[in-house]
Amino acid sequence: MQFRILSVLLFCFSFPLWSEESPVYLAAMAKKDITGPSVGVMFWGYAREDQTGLGIHTRQFARSLVIRDQNSKKLLAYVTAEVGGIPFEIQRDVVKRLQAEVDPGFGYGNVLINASHTHSGPAGHFHYSEVSFYSKEFYAESYAVLRDGIFESIKDAYLKMKPAELTIGKAFVGEAGVNRSLSAYLANPEPERKQYSDNIDREMVQLTVSVAGVPIGLVNWYGVHPTNITFDNRLISSDNKGIASLLSEAEAKKQGLNGFVAIFAQANEGDVSPNLNLDNTGPGKDIYDSSFIIGKRQFLASQQILKSSGKRLSGGISFTQRFIDMSKHPVSPEFSGTGKIETTCPSAYGYAFAAGSTEEGGGHFLFHEGMTNKNRRFYIDWIAKFMLQSPSEELRECQNPKAVLFPMGETKPLPSLPQILPYGLTLIGDLTILVMPHEVTTMSSRRLKKEVQSVLKDKSSDIVLSGLTNDFSGYITTPEEYSTQNYEGGHTLHGPHSLNALRQEFHKMSLELKNGNPITSNEIKPLDLSDKVHPLKVPGSDSVSSKPQTVIQPGAEFYHKGEVVTCRVEAVNPNVGYPKVASYLWVEAKEKADWNPVRSDSDFDTKFFYQKRGLWGRAEESLELIWETNSDTLPGEYRLVHEGIYLNKEGIRSPYRIECPSFRIGHAGN
């Protein structure tokens, strides 16, 4: 019987039989919950102070792959965390703890922490928060949850490593993205554009990990913004990337692979929107439906790769890494494109940054995309001066044609954004990973990959870009795209020579790997602001109340498949129980005399909204519990359940549980 089950699994995933050759790698994968506070914290991404959390659509996870090269004993950890951006402080703290508690072989060059870039996750974990436009708060507790969750996911994977086979495959991703900055893309030279069949990269590259011939997980790279769920949303959500992961893991579970981990990493998404209508709307009936559709399209491409044989990796692991001061980095004539030495600039936001991406809903009404130095307004510069400070003339000239709004790199005594940034290049066999902290546009990515490929040649047959990795520092556009000053150019922080500076440095790193002399440290390091942040308490976490126990508004007694089940219950602010509550919402199914959980607030078909209504001490606090059934929902008896923790007058935190009345689900039309 066991042999038959294994045969079915091998057939379903169409993998070659386990090779008799000695395995080149040890590998394992793991994931941990990193969900932030669900109520009252500004979301990271749209920079809107009015967008604060009121509940959960899907929980946030950190998913990790750890590989060891059996010959050299070198390690590699690749993580995607479902947050908007990863600050360098997280990588620094995770690396330090890994070296002390797990393996001294971990370091900045081989611990790669990628952000999925969801715009529907709470902020508050950046040390530059007090001068940030993305959030001005820092919450030590949620920072620790993020940091420790990433660490634990890497540690868990490390401790589970077994001999593994790594295979590479590719697939076309249909209708999951569209170039949102076409006018900027068209500014690139026509001969260059004609080398490519499309104005975005629609190919997904996937690394599949198998143990004893059975897949245990995957990492793929495909660049698209997780912005189906727009700035109107108030629920924590991992958006389309997270939904793709959940669909993959659910599909694997149907095949009996309960520990399967699917990483849908972020790549070169700089000018790629999932909102296919280019008016801040996607292909679905609402933002959540659009998120599901775009996530499913990535999932389907991933499944296509998973069910193919793939190309087996057999080379070892090598990597190189460096920190670069992007405020003043020289670019040699060989790479500058001007025939002379150029330099990058201290970071600055442009007018076009404040305009936002028109196709993603736009920004402040005073600004529009395409505003350059010729469009400066004295009253805007005057307001910006009093909000922060005026830029120097040297900075204006360096950043030209950008109309500088905020000179983030010139503030004293410290710059208001990180200037020293991490970059790296990693080889797993002949798979090459470019590592950088930016959102990289399509053509910028192509130029960077081409530069690396020109050096590595046959040492690299597959190449991916891991953007938003190990820190966050705005966009990278081509000089031609920068000149248009669309949103992406206005958010290219270090000026028009940024891309050519990176071409130069990745050329050098490619030579280091080709010649076998990688560098994994250098003299400069990012600033440590740990003693300069002012941590705040998570909002509502100390709210005192009596024990909630009332069902305020039960749902119906019967639902057809595809209908939405709701129930409103008495509750306290969910942050009172943060981060100890595993799920605030459960869907339980009755099996004989037992009730068993079948869904939770980590699933994409559930939601909960927190409400506080009333005045003068008579406020009613409640949670609206929601489950969207579908055609796959099994008929039977179910109930919705809310669990939380409340704080009483004596200062004691205690768990509580409220069970909504049960209901039945039948076939449509019954």
Side-chain angles (χ1 to χ4, degrees), residues 161-173:
M161 283 193 297
K162 294 180 180 179
E165 182 180 72
L166 307 181
T167 56
I168 289 291
K170 300 177 182 179
F172 178 85
V173 185

Side-chain angles (χ1 to χ4, degrees), residues 625-641:
L625 311 177
I626 301 170
W627 177 34
E628 298 180 8
T629 67
N630 56 51
S631 59
D632 294 328
T633 305
L634 296 175
E637 186 174 0
Y638 297 87
R639 68 185 180 190
L640 302 185
V641 176

Side-chain angles (χ1 to χ4, degrees), residues 253-271:
K253 191 172 183 179
K254 292 178 184 177
Q255 308 295 335
L257 304 176
N258 293 327
F260 192 89
V261 176
I263 298 176
F264 283 73
Q266 194 51 269
N268 54 322
E269 80 344 317
D271 51 4

